[in-house]
Amino acid sequence: MICLQNLPGSSVLPLRGFVCDPRKPSATAAAPSLGMLSSNTDLPRSMVVKAISGSTPRAETSGAEVKEEKSEVYSNTMTETMGADLTYRHELGMNYNFIRPNVIVGSCLQTPQDVDKLRSIGVKTIFCLQQNSDLEYFGVDIGAIQEYAKEFDDIEHLRAEIRDFDSYDLRFRLPAVVSKLYKAVNRNGGVSYIHCTAGMGRAPATVLAYMFWVQGYKLNDAVILLLNKRSCCPKLDAIKNATADILTGKTKREVTLKWGDNKCSTVEISGLDIGWGQRIPLKLDDKQGSWILKRELPEGRYEYKYVVDGEWKLNKNELVTSPNKDGYVNNYLQIVNVEDDPNSANAIIRKRLTGDDPDLTTEERLKIRQFLEACPSDE
């Protein structure tokens, strides 16, 4: 059985960091299908307010201010790209919630001493979903954390990277990532600590997929349980599509996107299947007088926006989303497998699994477990 792999890095431009841009993706598209349940949280507001007491040396104050500023930028980006009002304060240290007695979702480890904290509550597997760029942004020394964890024989530190704020990469990577988590849980037992940076996007989505695929939960029941424990905004469409991908395969179709202005110097696209933090350059076709991108995409809905000479632009000749609460819109396209009979078994399965209340049959769950067991490690 072939494991789904990541996109080749050469197909996209480098990440541009956690900088908010003017596109503001549609909140309607970004929110989970169960709605914006950000009010279902047991995280008190006081957790995101820094308490200051006594005098603080100038250098320490400066360092704290830098951390707070980075947290604010990250939180603003997270809110805009995920479509929910979310706050992460890195300067307050690691935070987490037990979702089940043996599953924790939390924010990133920041120092080797955080390994001791997790060992003290019975954690046997630390499962990190961050990329190196995420760690570098907040100055986390992942090497020191990994080396410290190796000093103990009762805990294992693993990495399985997913791009931040990128629902397509989440969909594409989930099968391999959950496979690695599934094997680690079977190997190590005990409590598993699954984290990304803030523990509000990638980590809860990974845990939901694990609960849905392995532990027998209906997806919506798992979501309700998760959101009663932790404030977060996992991308449910990514989980649904990843589930359908495993059971029915991924059929790709080539699409052509055009920007009809040959007077500009550069045209790029952001969003689509590469996330909002990266851009794909279009090529100028002199005969057509247009900038063109041809790309193969699996079934699904994709939002995107053009970047023309550095400015974010909407193409009014292509499909446009409804305005979000701030009045911002994106272009979008919907990929369907036109070769697949809508009454075929695969089409019916995909429609059911990407609907409002997906569930798995016993046979489907067994097939997914076999897939997870057969999927080779990609790390």
Side-chain angles (χ1 to χ4, degrees):
M1 191 169 295
I2 300 174
C3 183
L4 305 178
Q5 297 298 319
N6 203 350
L7 287 173
S10 59
S11 65
V12 295
L13 299 182
L15 286 171
R16 300 186 184 265
F18 302 115
V19 180
C20 297
D21 56 59
R23 56 176 167 71
K24 293 189 178 180
S26 164
T28 302
S33 60
L34 289 183
M36 304 282 285
L37 302 179
S38 56
S39 61
N40 291 345
T41 171
D42 56 5
L43 294 179
R45 176 64 62 180
S46 59
M47 286 186 65
V48 298
V49 179
K50 182 182 179 185
I52 301 175
S53 61
S55 60
T56 307
R58 176 73 179 173
E60 183 178 338
T61 302
S62 177
E65 289 174 352
V66 170
K67 290 180 180 179
E68 288 180 355
E69 182 178 350
K70 285 193 171 187
S71 292
E72 184 174 356
V73 171
Y74 185 89
S75 294
N76 289 339
T77 304
M78 182 165 55
T79 292
E80 291 195 358
T81 56
M82 297 179 70
D85 187 8
L86 300 170
T87 301
Y88 171 60
R89 293 300 177 194
H90 186 79
E91 64 274 12
L92 297 180
M94 184 174 58
N95 70 82
Y96 56 85
N97 298 93
F98 277 85
I99 309 305
R100 299 189 74 246
N102 61 347
V103 176
I104 301 175
V105 171
S107 63
C108 64
L109 282 71
Q110 300 183 20
T111 68
Q113 286 66 44
D114 285 335
V115 174
D116 292 328
K117 296 176 185 177
L118 296 180
R119 291 181 66 232
S120 70
I121 57 174
V123 171
K124 302 298 183 183
T125 302
I126 302 171
F127 201 72
C128 172
L129 300 169
Q130 293 174 287
Q131 293 189 310
N132 289 338
S133 56
D134 306 329
L135 299 159
E136 291 165 2
Y137 179 76
F138 281 113
V140 175
D141 186 349
I142 188 68
I145 293 172
Q146 289 175 312
E147 287 303 313
Y148 186 69
K150 289 179 181 178
E151 295 181 12
F152 307 97
D153 59 8
D154 61 350
I155 195 165
E156 182 180 18
H157 187 290
L158 297 171
R159 294 184 67 187
E161 300 177 25
I162 301 175
R163 283 201 298 261
D164 210 355
F165 314 129
D166 188 339
S167 59
Y168 180 82
D169 196 56
L170 177 63
R171 166 189 173 178
F172 207 50
R173 293 280 298 132
L174 265 179
V177 168
V178 175
S179 169
K180 190 167 188 174
L181 175 62
Y182 174 67
K183 294 171 184 175
V185 171
N186 289 342
R187 180 172 63 249
N188 298 329
V191 180
S192 299
Y193 185 85
I194 298 91
H195 77 86
C196 45
T197 297
M200 297 180 180
R202 292 167 287 181
T206 298
V207 168
L208 283 177
Y210 180 78
M211 294 170 72
F212 185 35
W213 297 348
V214 176
Q215 295 186 323
Y217 284 85
K218 291 184 65 174
L219 181 58
N220 287 359
D221 291 344
V223 171
I224 292 170
L225 175 60
L226 173 74
L227 292 179
N228 280 333
K229 301 288 187 178
R230 185 171 181 83
S231 177
C232 56
C233 189
K235 299 293 188 182
L236 300 190
D237 284 346
I239 300 169
K240 293 175 183 180
N241 278 296
T243 308
D245 290 342
I246 293 174
L247 293 173
T248 69
K250 291 191 355 176
T251 302
K252 292 187 176 183
R253 285 183 55 204
E254 184 178 88
V255 297
T256 300
L257 300 173
K258 295 182 180 181
W259 182 264
D261 180 7
N262 60 1
K263 296 180 181 178
C264 49
S265 300
T266 62
V267 180
E268 302 166 302
I269 279 183
S270 188
L272 210 60
D273 61 328
I274 61 165
W276 294 106
Q278 302 185 74
R279 300 175 186 177
I280 310 172
L282 278 70
K283 293 183 179 179
L284 178 61
D285 187 318
D286 292 322
K287 293 182 179 179
Q288 296 188 38
S290 300
W291 295 81
I292 295 176
L293 172 69
K294 292 183 182 292
R295 196 163 184 84
E296 286 192 340
L297 297 171
E299 294 176 71
R301 187 177 188 274
Y302 303 88
E303 292 194 21
Y304 60 96
K305 209 153 193 176
Y306 291 87
V307 185
V308 182
D309 289 340
E311 288 190 49
W312 294 84
K313 299 277 189 178
L314 191 70
N315 190 336
K316 296 181 179 179
N317 296 319
E318 296 171 357
L319 294 174
V320 174
T321 63
S322 300
N324 65 9
K325 63 181 180 179
D326 297 317
Y328 289 90
V329 296
N330 297 318
N331 287 117
Y332 80 94
L333 55 84
Q334 184 79 39
I335 304 295
V336 296
N337 184 8
V338 294
E339 297 178 356
D340 201 2
D341 181 346
N343 297 316
S344 69
N346 280 350
I348 292 172
I349 290 172
R350 182 170 287 275
K351 182 177 181 180
R352 170 169 56 84
L353 293 177
T354 56
D356 292 335
D357 189 20
D359 195 12
L360 294 166
T361 66
T362 301
E363 183 179 352
E364 287 170 342
R365 191 164 276 115
L366 176 60
K367 185 176 179 180
I368 289 178
R369 286 193 183 186
Q370 291 172 341
F371 174 92
L372 297 178
E373 291 167 357
C375 187
S377 174
D378 64 343
E379 301 297 326

